[in-house]
């Protein structure tokens, strides 16, 4: 197999057409003395017969009629939302100079203009909205200069020196993830909606603190796949044998010989936050590989997505396939695997790590923990159970020679959290999320308009 091209702009979800022409019937947005004269009319369709809350919408720079603009000069407006009245003097004092003033003709919503490939030019406009079944909504992206308008961060990503080594974190307010073990995800549950990774890093405290208001690590990863990890199936004669980046034949021989890892914070809020993982020098004994992963956390979501792209892919055996897996949960009660969805359900789980269990009598038994792995149906995933690595539920999927890329979704819930607290709630959430993941909203048109 050949070496892949460098990681391109992540733009797999959406369609684009400028053929549709709309009458300019809606009034133009204003905010204080801000009265823009340029806008892009955006129409977005929910193709599913179900309500969708906080649904991601992505517009790539290649799709947009305005390809060169500064981040602060963009205003995303939902014309159906009630306009903000003039804030009171006390509100102005509390917020400061960034406060928004009286609006007309809609309300501005949080957005991000993200530079994913770090070339200094934006790649994706990202925002979130609610959709009714089969609904087509109109949004306006206004272009103009206005210093007012601030958005609180609902997600966070950072890289910290935690526990004497570098650890990437990404989180929503309801669930968090980190890479304590470089290539296999650790899981952090929140008791109340909040962002905690900055606190965990600056304090450098154990995630296993019993009953912490900040939440808890709710999974022991160690040699397992944790809440999600990539692999390869290199031996067709042994379909459940896996190759993993941190278990190369050179493990323990130092960074020069063993698999190497580098991390970057790509995007940090307010609506989504991303960590890029660069895995290099992976020599499995049956091939040589290099890849990047882009992990993303989303506002109010109990799931994270991961985009994987191999930069070098040189298997020595025919029939090598991509793979990813989640560990069989400690004290697993049952599992679910159908199509592109895997779930593991556990009851009465002692989440303390072995050191804590040896040293302290205190235990933290969690009534319910659930984890999930979702693969898009278009990748033709095949379920496999792996006996080693503490037991794992995995997908194998054919190698796409043209892109050497795939993506997947990991999700979690627990009884001490604020959402998806029971097995039934979590199962319903994952199955609904899988439908949305396989059927993203469609950007039908982008049409420039001038006042």
């Amino acid at each position: 197999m050949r070496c892949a091209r460098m990681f391109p702009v992540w733009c797999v979800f959406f369609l684009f057409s400028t053929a549709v022409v709309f009458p300019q019937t809606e009034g133009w947005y204003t905010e204080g003395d801000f009265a823009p004269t340029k806008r892009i009319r955006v129409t977005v369709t929910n193709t599913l017969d179900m309500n969708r809350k906080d649904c991601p919408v992505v517009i790539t720079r290649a799709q947009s009629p305005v390809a060169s603009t500064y981040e602060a000069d963009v205003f995303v407006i939902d014309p159906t939302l009630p306009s903000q009245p003039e804030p009171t003097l006390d509100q102005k004092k509390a917020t400061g100079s960034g406060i928004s003033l009286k609006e007309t003709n809609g309300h501005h919503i949080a957005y991000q203009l993200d530079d994913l490939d770090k070339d200094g030019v934006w790649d994706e406009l990202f925002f979130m909205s609610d959709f009714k079944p089969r609904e087509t909504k109109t949004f306006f992206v206004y272009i103009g200069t206005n210093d007012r308008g601030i958005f609180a961060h609902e997600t966070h990503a950072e890289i910290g020196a935690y526990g004497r080594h570098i650890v990437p974190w990404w989180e929503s307010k309801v669930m968090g993830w980190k890479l304590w073990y470089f290539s296999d995800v650790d899981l952090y549950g929140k008791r109340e909606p909040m962002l905690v990774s900055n606190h965990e890093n600056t304090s450098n405290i154990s995630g296993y603190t019993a009953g912490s208001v900040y939440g808890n690590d709710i999974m022991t990863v160690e040699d397992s796949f944790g809440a999600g990890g990539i692999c390869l199936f290199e031996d067709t004669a042994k379909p459940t044998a896996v190759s993993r980046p941190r278990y190369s034949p050179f493990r323990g021989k130092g960074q020069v010989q063993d698999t190497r890892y580098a991390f970057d914070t790509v995007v940090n809020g307010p609506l989504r936050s991303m960590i890029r993982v660069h895995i290099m020098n992976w020599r499995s004994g049956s091939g040589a590989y290099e890849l990047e992963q882009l992990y993303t956390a989303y506002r109010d979501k109990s799931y994270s997505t991961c985009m994987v792209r191999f930069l070098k892919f040189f298997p020595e055996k025919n029939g090598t396939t991509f793979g990813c897996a989640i560990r069989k949960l400690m004290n697993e009660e049952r599992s679910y695997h159908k199509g592109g969805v895997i779930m593991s359900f556990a009851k009465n789980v002692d989440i303390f790590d072995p050191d804590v269990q040896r040293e302290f009598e205190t235990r933290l038994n969690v009534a319910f923990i659930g984890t999930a792995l979702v693969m898009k149906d278009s990748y033709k995933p095949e379920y496999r159970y792996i006996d080693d690595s503490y037991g794992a539920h995995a997908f194998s999927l054919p190698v796409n020679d043209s892109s050497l890329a795939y993506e997947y979704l990991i999700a979690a819930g627990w009884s001490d959290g604020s959402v998806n607290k029971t097995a039934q709630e979590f199962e319903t959430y994952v199955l609904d999320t899988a439908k949305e993941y396989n059927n993203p909203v469609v950007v039908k048109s982008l049409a420039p308009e001038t006042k």
Side-chain angles (χ1 to χ4, degrees):
M1 300 295 289
R2 56 172 175 75
C3 177
R5 295 188 299 273
M6 292 302 292
F7 211 122
V9 175
W10 187 44
C11 56
V12 297
F13 280 172
F14 302 94
L15 303 177
F16 173 57
S17 168
T18 56
V20 181
V21 178
F22 295 90
Q24 296 187 31
T25 55
E26 290 90 346
W28 282 67
Y29 175 79
T30 67
E31 183 269 329
D33 58 1
F34 174 58
T37 60
K38 296 180 181 179
R39 71 185 184 186
I40 303 169
R41 181 189 294 266
V42 182
T43 58
V44 184
T45 298
N46 173 17
T47 62
L48 292 175
D49 290 316
M50 59 184 288
N51 289 311
R52 302 172 79 154
K53 182 173 176 56
D54 283 324
C55 182
V57 179
V58 172
I59 298 170
T60 68
R61 186 162 61 91
Q63 295 172 317
S64 175
V66 178
S68 181
T69 186
Y70 297 109
E71 181 177 6
D73 289 349
V74 171
F75 296 82
V76 180
I77 307 301
D78 185 338
T80 67
L81 294 179
S83 297
Q84 172 182 291
E86 183 70 14
T88 66
L89 182 59
D90 287 342
Q91 289 173 328
K92 292 178 180 179
K93 288 180 178 179
T95 303
S97 60
I99 194 169
S100 298
L101 303 179
K102 180 181 178 181
E103 297 176 304
T104 65
N105 297 317
H107 181 59
H108 72 155
I109 60 176
Y111 70 91
Q112 293 175 222
L113 205 64
D114 294 328
D115 176 13
L116 303 185
D117 58 8
K118 299 305 178 185
D119 66 350
V121 182
W122 73 275
D123 298 310
E124 292 184 354
L125 171 62
F126 179 86
F127 59 93
M128 304 175 80
S129 186
D130 299 343
F131 290 84
K132 297 176 183 176
R134 299 287 176 179
E135 181 182 18
T136 295
K137 293 184 69 171
T138 296
F139 303 90
F140 290 107
V141 179
Y142 284 86
I143 310 296
T145 301
N146 184 358
D147 291 335
R148 295 187 297 270
I150 55 178
F151 304 113
H153 279 217
E154 302 290 336
T155 65
H156 187 70
E158 67 175 63
I159 299 169
Y162 179 75
R164 300 189 302 110
H165 72 302
I166 299 301
V167 176
W169 304 65
W170 65 103
E171 59 174 331
S172 70
K173 286 187 173 181
V174 294
M175 194 61 65
W177 303 266
K178 65 178 183 284
L179 286 174
W180 177 274
Y181 289 103
F182 306 124
S183 60
D184 298 285
V185 176
D186 205 351
L187 185 61
Y188 202 92
K190 318 290 185 67
R191 287 189 167 78
E192 299 176 5
M194 65 176 68
L195 300 175
V196 303
S197 57
N198 182 260
H199 164 80
E200 293 292 306
N201 277 315
T202 54
S203 302
N204 220 243
I205 62 173
S206 169
Y208 288 100
T209 304
S212 168
V213 66
Y214 295 101
N216 280 97
D217 281 358
I218 56 176
M219 175 174 289
T220 300
V221 178
E222 294 183 330
D223 293 340
S224 77
F225 280 92
I230 60 105
C231 62
L232 292 171
F233 294 93
E234 296 182 296
D235 191 342
T236 56
K238 299 178 180 179
T240 62
V242 294
S243 298
R244 301 170 62 192
R246 64 187 177 105
Y247 291 95
S248 79
F250 305 95
R251 186 185 188 193
K253 296 185 178 181
Q255 292 177 324
V256 173
Q257 296 185 64
D258 199 1
T259 308
R260 297 195 293 273
Y261 311 88
F263 311 108
D264 290 299
T265 302
V266 179
V267 171
N268 195 7
L271 300 175
R272 67 176 181 179
S273 294
M274 298 180 181
I275 290 289
R276 178 174 285 122
V277 181
H278 188 182
I279 299 178
M280 302 160 279
N281 199 46
W282 177 16
R283 294 173 292 161
S284 68
S286 297
Y289 311 98
E290 181 178 344
L291 67 140
E292 288 184 345
Q293 295 174 281
L294 190 64
Y295 287 102
T296 305
Y298 304 84
R299 180 181 70 187
D300 292 334
K301 302 300 184 185
S302 295
Y303 66 73
S304 165
T305 58
C306 182
M307 173 69 75
V308 182
R309 185 175 300 277
F310 278 80
L311 308 177
K312 297 179 182 178
F313 188 75
F314 301 118
E316 297 174 1
K317 295 181 179 180
N318 293 328
T320 295
T321 62
F322 295 144
C324 56
I326 55 175
R327 75 163 292 170
K328 174 184 177 181
L329 280 180
M330 309 82 76
N331 208 26
E332 182 182 75
E333 179 194 31
R334 67 181 177 94
S335 64
Y336 173 106
H337 50 89
K338 183 177 181 181
V341 178
I342 296 171
M343 287 182 271
S344 180
F345 302 87
K347 280 187 175 181
N348 302 320
V349 183
D350 183 350
I351 65 172
F352 273 14
D353 70 3
D355 286 340
V356 175
Q357 291 176 359
R358 283 192 296 268
E359 297 294 332
F360 300 100
E361 294 182 359
T362 303
R363 291 290 188 272
L364 185 57
N365 289 297
V366 178
F368 161 73
I369 296 177
T371 58
L373 173 64
V374 179
M375 182 73 66
K376 289 187 175 182
D377 296 335
S378 60
Y379 291 115
K380 301 179 180 178
E382 174 190 315
Y383 172 80
R384 297 184 185 182
Y385 179 75
I386 300 169
D387 285 325
D388 61 5
S389 304
Y390 291 97
H393 303 288
F395 280 130
S396 166
L397 55 151
V399 172
N400 184 325
D401 289 341
S402 61
S403 66
L404 296 178
Y406 62 99
E407 60 181 294
Y408 59 90
L409 179 151
I410 54 177
W414 71 315
S415 53
D416 286 16
S418 59
V419 295
N420 303 320
K421 296 165 64 73
T422 68
Q424 184 58 58
E425 289 174 350
F426 180 66
E427 183 171 346
T428 299
Y429 177 81
V430 170
L431 294 178
D432 285 347
T433 296
K435 292 178 185 177
E436 297 186 24
Y437 192 49
N438 277 283
N439 299 276
V441 292
V442 177
V443 177
K444 287 286 190 177
S445 64
L446 293 158
E449 297 177 352
T450 302
K451 189 174 182 179

